[in-house]
């Protein structure tokens, strides 16, 4: 976790869409250090080596999907409390329930509202810092 107030929090955006990665980076790069991953293997490498403060996670990805990755992370003591925002095009109530059951901190749908995404991330990071 970023403990120095002058250090930008690290956000890992996991999405197999290059255009979505670009939109997320453009939305968040002024406030956060944004790292990108296109799949679960890449995401796990960055999680273990980069000190990620919050993860944005798409559900629909090749191989291990976002819900499965979320479940895997919640079983790991190291990532049990990592804030995970599911950011996906799947907008049904059942998908949102699946996201919560998988351990997601928050669930948002695409296309996303940039201001809402920034507010949500700021609120979650503030809550995490207060919880220390």
């Amino acid at each position: 976790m970023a403990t120095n107030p002058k250090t930008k929090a690290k956000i890992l955006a996991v999405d197999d869409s290059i255009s979505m990665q670009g939109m997320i980076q453009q939305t968040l790069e002024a406030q956060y250090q944004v790292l990108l991953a296109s799949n679960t293997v890449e995401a796990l490498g960055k999680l273990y080596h980069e000190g990620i403060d919050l993860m944005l996670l798409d559900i629909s990805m090749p191989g291990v999907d976002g819900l499965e990755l979320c479940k895997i992370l919640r079983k790991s003591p190291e990532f049990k409390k990592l804030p995970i925002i599911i950011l996906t095009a799947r907008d049904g109530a059942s998908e949102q329930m699946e996201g919560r059951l998988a351990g997601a901190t928050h669930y948002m749908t695409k296309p996303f509202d940039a201001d809402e995404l920034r507010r949500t991330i700021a609120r979650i990071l503030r809550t995490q810092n207060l919880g220390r």
Side-chain angles (χ1 to χ4, degrees):
M1 294 267 170
T3 53
N4 181 341
K6 294 180 182 178
T7 303
K8 289 182 178 183
K10 284 186 187 177
I11 308 286
L12 175 60
V14 185
D15 198 303
D16 61 332
S17 164
I18 300 300
S19 61
M20 184 54 62
Q21 287 181 1
M23 285 191 286
I24 291 169
Q25 181 147 21
Q26 187 175 12
T27 299
L28 301 177
E29 67 188 353
Q31 295 169 283
Y32 305 104
Q33 183 179 351
V34 181
L35 302 173
L36 304 170
S38 298
N39 57 56
T40 299
V41 173
E42 200 178 333
L44 286 170
K46 291 185 179 184
L47 280 168
Y48 278 101
H49 298 289
E50 296 288 344
I52 302 301
D53 295 298
L54 182 141
M55 183 167 65
L56 300 174
L57 182 59
D58 187 18
I59 291 177
S60 301
M61 292 188 299
V64 177
D65 72 17
L67 290 174
E68 199 56 41
L69 176 56
C70 191
K71 290 175 190 175
I72 291 167
L73 294 174
R74 290 304 183 224
K75 291 178 185 172
S76 165
E78 189 173 353
F79 302 113
K80 193 174 194 84
K81 294 184 179 182
L82 174 73
I84 300 173
I85 298 174
I86 300 280
L87 185 59
T88 186
R90 296 185 186 179
D91 63 355
S94 63
E95 285 93 351
Q96 290 184 32
M97 181 59 70
E98 279 185 82
R100 292 293 189 173
L101 291 173
T105 309
H106 192 75
Y107 192 102
M108 294 181 74
T109 55
K110 300 178 202 169
F112 63 87
D113 175 87
D115 290 332
E116 181 184 358
L117 180 60
R118 284 189 288 264
R119 279 192 307 271
T120 300
I121 290 171
R123 178 180 43 80
I124 290 171
L125 289 176
R126 237 184 350 264
T127 301
Q128 290 293 110
N129 287 332
L130 292 174
R132 287 189 196 164

